[in-house]
Amino acid sequence: AMTTVLDLPEDVLVELLSLLPAPDLLRACRLVCRQWRYVVDLTTLWKRKCQREGFYRQDLDRSISDWKVFYMLCSLRRNLIKNPCAEEKFRHWKIDKNEGDKWNIEDLPGPHGNMMPDPKVHKYFVTSYGPCFKSQLITLQKEGYWNQLMDEKRPEIVVKDWYSARFDCGCCYELRVRLLSEDYIVLEEFHPEPVVIEQWSDATWREISHTFQNYPAGVRYIWFQHGGQDTQFWAGWYGIRVTNSSITIGPLTL
């Protein structure tokens, strides 16, 4: 009798199928036959994929309940904020408020400023003497995060932003991040007190970070907004500087 790929022993099939991209496994291979569906759903196959792509760590063995979801979250993981460091001018940002001399972009370290800890960051956005705010709306499904994943696994959503003042002028910084439903209802919000920086500060770049966990089911969008202004009403760009914003999801699920 002729041997076909369907006659392969399970461990060989796991090895072979683990070489394929996840979408192919889930959309095509699972539908081939009962045995293939069974193999595609095996924990060992997704653990093997994690090993192949460098996501696997032995200390995770006990804490991960679903290796398929863990693999998907690892492979999707990236900064969901587009153009975070002003490399493409204001592309992908919606300008919500643009007062004074308006938003501007400057090169690090900038006048009376400091370098960032991350050498890959070269530019920042800077505010003026009237309120300047800009935002991005992230559609989770468009980024590969399907509804059931968000509702059942509730992977951590980690938000980070960097801000700095110039040495010679006071300013204030504000951040607002909302998890929104299908109908744009706010399910959870992170909105810390505005940060007021006095004149003659050390002009250091500071990071603000927040992790959303155990949020309600139904999150379909993440809305990120930041900005501020100077506190001395000087013409030009003496307000808060922002750059290197990020939103990343998972992979650790609770």
Side-chain angles (χ1 to χ4, degrees):
M2 205 180 80
T3 324
T4 71
V5 69
L6 297 173
D7 301 315
L8 290 171
E10 188 180 292
D11 55 335
V12 179
L13 205 48
V14 164
E15 272 303 296
L16 274 177
L17 291 178
S18 71
L19 290 162
L20 294 173
D24 297 348
L25 286 171
L26 298 170
R27 286 187 205 132
C29 300
R30 246 183 128 259
L31 309 177
V32 171
C33 65
R34 220 167 51 221
Q35 190 208 4
W36 278 39
R37 188 177 65 209
Y38 167 78
V39 172
V40 168
D41 290 343
L42 279 177
T43 293
T44 48
L45 177 124
W46 295 97
K47 213 185 247 193
R48 188 73 191 94
K49 282 188 78 59
C50 286
Q51 283 168 332
R52 282 190 191 284
E53 292 177 44
F55 305 146
Y56 177 79
R57 293 204 323 264
Q58 202 148 17
D59 59 319
L60 294 173
D61 259 346
R62 274 205 199 84
S63 58
I64 287 167
S65 57
D66 188 332
W67 281 93
K68 177 162 71 177
V69 165
F70 180 74
Y71 173 83
M72 299 301 283
L73 287 170
C74 286
S75 56
L76 284 168
R77 192 181 153 80
R78 65 203 185 281
N79 186 1
L80 299 175
I81 295 271
K82 294 171 180 73
N83 184 26
C85 303
E87 292 293 342
E88 305 173 79
K89 305 280 195 287
F90 289 98
R91 196 165 164 233
H92 301 294
W93 291 97
K94 178 174 178 284
I95 305 292
D96 303 316
K97 271 198 165 159
N98 212 10
E99 298 182 19
D101 283 322
K102 306 188 167 140
W103 277 102
N104 199 13
I105 290 167
E106 292 174 348
D107 293 318
L108 278 160
H112 296 280
N114 281 311
M115 290 309 278
M116 280 272 303
D118 185 344
K120 293 192 292 293
V121 182
H122 304 292
K123 295 174 187 290
Y124 58 81
F125 302 95
V126 55
T127 61
S128 186
Y129 61 87
C132 294
F133 287 93
K134 63 186 178 66
S135 62
Q136 277 189 39
L137 182 71
I138 292 153
T139 305
L140 289 167
Q141 223 165 352
K142 236 193 250 164
E143 303 296 342
Y145 296 92
W146 62 100
N147 295 350
Q148 194 188 357
L149 174 76
M150 298 308 296
D151 296 351
E152 289 179 12
K153 301 296 175 180
R154 323 253 172 111
E156 296 183 344
I157 299 171
V158 182
V159 179
K160 295 181 176 176
D161 199 18
W162 287 83
Y163 63 90
S164 167
R166 19 185 311 163
F167 170 66
D168 57 352
C169 189
C171 60
C172 76
Y173 162 80
E174 210 170 326
L175 172 68
R176 199 180 230 129
V177 187
R178 292 173 173 167
L179 307 184
L180 303 174
S181 73
E182 196 59 69
D183 307 326
Y184 303 101
I185 291 159
V186 180
L187 300 176
E188 207 154 297
E189 179 174 58
F190 174 63
H191 181 219
E193 283 291 295
V195 179
V196 178
I197 301 171
E198 300 297 327
Q199 190 178 21
W200 317 124
S201 72
D202 59 7
T204 306
W205 282 94
R206 291 198 162 74
E207 184 185 42
I208 185 168
S209 170
H210 178 74
T211 302
F212 291 99
Q213 289 172 315
N214 288 324
Y215 43 84
V219 174
R220 300 295 174 257
Y221 304 97
I222 304 169
W223 182 74
F224 175 103
Q225 186 196 55
H226 64 176
Q229 64 184 97
D230 88 25
T231 49
Q232 289 164 233
F233 301 99
W234 291 354
W237 297 279
Y238 289 83
I240 198 76
R241 302 163 167 190
V242 290
T243 192
N244 207 24
S245 318
S246 70
I247 295 176
T248 46
I249 296 185
L252 288 180
T253 55
L254 299 164

